[in-house]
Amino acid sequence: IWENTFQKVTKTRAGSKKGIKSIKAKTKFQKVRSVTGGFPMSLMKLFPITGRTHQLRIQCWKNKLPICGDKTYGSFRFNRDVKSETGIDRLMLHSFSISFEYFFDNKRVSFTAQSEMPAIFEGLLSYRPGMDFEKLFPKLLQGKTTLKGRRFNA
């Protein structure tokens, strides 16, 4: 379990800085696999116990496992290398599953949604230096590195 303390700037209703508050964040983590021979990276499962803003991104950074493609808390040199070698320019963070409970008409209702790991993640984990990423994984890069062609107009 990762347990970290974050410093959060508090503001007044008018938006001016009020002070700094320490907040605790907890996340269970599990390393699924590590890659050798390509980019030095690991596939992780993260289970947030608390729900802080950017919690997973900040905790990975604080624990020296920055998320690939994270433009705020990531390793900027590593992100540049990944983009120049593969063309991938996205945050490699994906919610495999989310579940919660709520009450409706005085009854407890459970909701769960699951989503498979994007193919582009497996492509990146399989990458080795000297590979022509676009030739080996052409479908992965077609519209996958931007939001174009999905719900958004880019």
Side-chain angles (χ1 to χ4, degrees):
I1 292 181
W2 285 335
E3 294 186 44
N4 299 97
T5 302
F6 300 168
Q7 302 298 315
K8 181 178 181 178
V9 175
T10 58
K11 297 183 179 184
T12 65
R13 287 183 190 237
S16 60
K17 185 176 172 180
K18 186 177 175 181
I20 295 177
K21 181 169 93 171
S22 292
I23 55 174
K24 294 189 184 285
K26 282 186 179 182
T27 299
K28 282 200 257 182
F29 68 95
Q30 174 186 357
K31 188 185 293 186
V32 176
R33 77 178 200 226
S34 291
V35 181
T36 56
F39 291 113
M41 58 177 54
S42 297
L43 180 63
M44 307 281 293
K45 282 187 178 180
L46 304 170
F47 306 92
I49 297 168
T50 54
R52 310 294 182 209
T53 303
H54 302 292
Q55 175 178 327
L56 299 177
R57 295 169 60 201
I58 294 170
Q59 285 191 295
C60 284
W61 170 69
K62 282 185 171 251
N63 290 286
K64 301 192 183 346
L65 292 167
I67 298 171
C68 182
D70 192 328
K71 294 178 180 169
T72 304
Y73 303 104
S75 168
F76 308 116
R77 173 191 268 172
F78 184 76
N79 291 342
R80 273 193 312 271
D81 291 347
V82 169
K83 183 179 178 182
S84 70
E85 291 288 321
T86 67
I88 296 174
D89 186 25
R90 63 158 280 184
L91 179 64
M92 301 301 278
L93 179 64
H94 173 73
S95 177
F96 170 74
S97 175
I98 186 167
S99 59
F100 55 90
E101 294 182 344
Y102 61 97
F103 286 91
F104 182 76
D105 286 340
N106 292 324
K107 293 180 187 168
R108 183 182 296 212
V109 180
S110 296
F111 173 82
T112 300
Q114 291 188 335
S115 174
E116 294 299 316
M117 183 173 75
I120 201 162
F121 282 40
E122 190 59 47
L124 187 56
L125 290 167
S126 302
Y127 177 80
R128 298 296 175 266
M131 285 177 121
D132 187 341
F133 196 80
E134 285 189 56
K135 279 187 180 173
L136 290 171
F137 303 102
K139 291 183 181 178
L140 295 183
L141 294 177
Q142 292 176 353
K144 298 293 185 184
T145 56
T146 68
L147 296 175
K148 189 176 182 177
R150 291 161 76 179
R151 283 193 278 167
F152 306 91
N153 295 321

